[in-house]
Amino acid sequence: MNIDWEALHSEAKLIMKKAYAPYSKFPVGVAALVDDGRIVSGCNVENASYGLGLCAECGLVSNLISTGGGRLIAAVCVDADGNYLSPCGRCRQLLFEHGGNEMLLMTPDGPSPMSVILPWAFGPDDLEK
Ligand code: THU
């Protein structure tokens, strides 16, 4: 499947502008290509009860499932400047659940598979053992 990284980057920057991050003032946007060709995205949504803030990847996964599910092929996560952002540990786990080891994440060094981003990940297969 062809991956239009520029389209993903643009979509991530677009949704980053919609982030609700009044406390950290650190807006995040993420966009991903799904195996049926659609693009899903999300932004962070913080809360006055700080610990309840939702990362951008939470929104993306919710968007993925609510629009029909599927597997994530490639993702781009950005900060306020549109620079590639490293997803936090919890969000790596969220992305892994829906993209597996093969999903590609854009990094400053180019696309990198989840097997590198989250090595020896715990996932759905472990529950079958
Ligand atoms: N954040 C994300 O949305 N995704 C990440 O992968 C890293 C962190 C958000 C959480 C919080 O709203 C803000 O960035 C600062 O930590």
Side-chain angles (χ1 to χ4, degrees):
M1 187 173 220
N2 177 56
I3 300 169
D4 186 345
W5 288 106
E6 265 320 303
L8 291 179
H9 195 190
S10 296
E11 195 60 35
K13 285 188 281 190
L14 209 63
I15 195 151
M16 177 272 294
K17 295 278 183 200
K18 296 181 179 169
Y20 177 72
Y23 308 110
S24 72
K25 299 187 172 30
F26 192 89
V28 177
V30 61
L33 173 66
V34 185
D35 61 355
D36 64 0
R38 72 192 202 279
I39 290 179
V40 291
S41 59
C43 59
N44 52 338
V45 181
E46 297 183 344
N47 193 282
S49 181
Y50 297 163
L52 300 185
L54 302 173
C55 281
E57 293 83 347
C58 297
L60 179 141
V61 166
S62 179
N63 186 210
L64 170 72
I65 299 305
S66 63
T67 59
R71 297 295 287 171
L72 300 176
I73 302 292
V76 174
C77 186
V78 298
D79 64 15
D81 298 321
N83 293 322
Y84 300 134
L85 184 72
S86 175
C88 74
R90 181 178 184 274
C91 291
R92 292 174 193 219
Q93 186 73 35
L94 290 183
L95 294 173
F96 179 78
E97 177 82 14
H98 300 282
N101 279 314
E102 295 77 33
M103 193 206 91
L104 297 172
L105 177 78
M106 184 54 88
T107 80
D109 299 322
S112 182
M114 285 304 290
S115 56
V116 171
I117 301 295
L118 187 67
W120 199 42
F122 174 83
D125 289 350
D126 290 296
L127 297 177
E128 304 302 326
K129 289 174 187 160

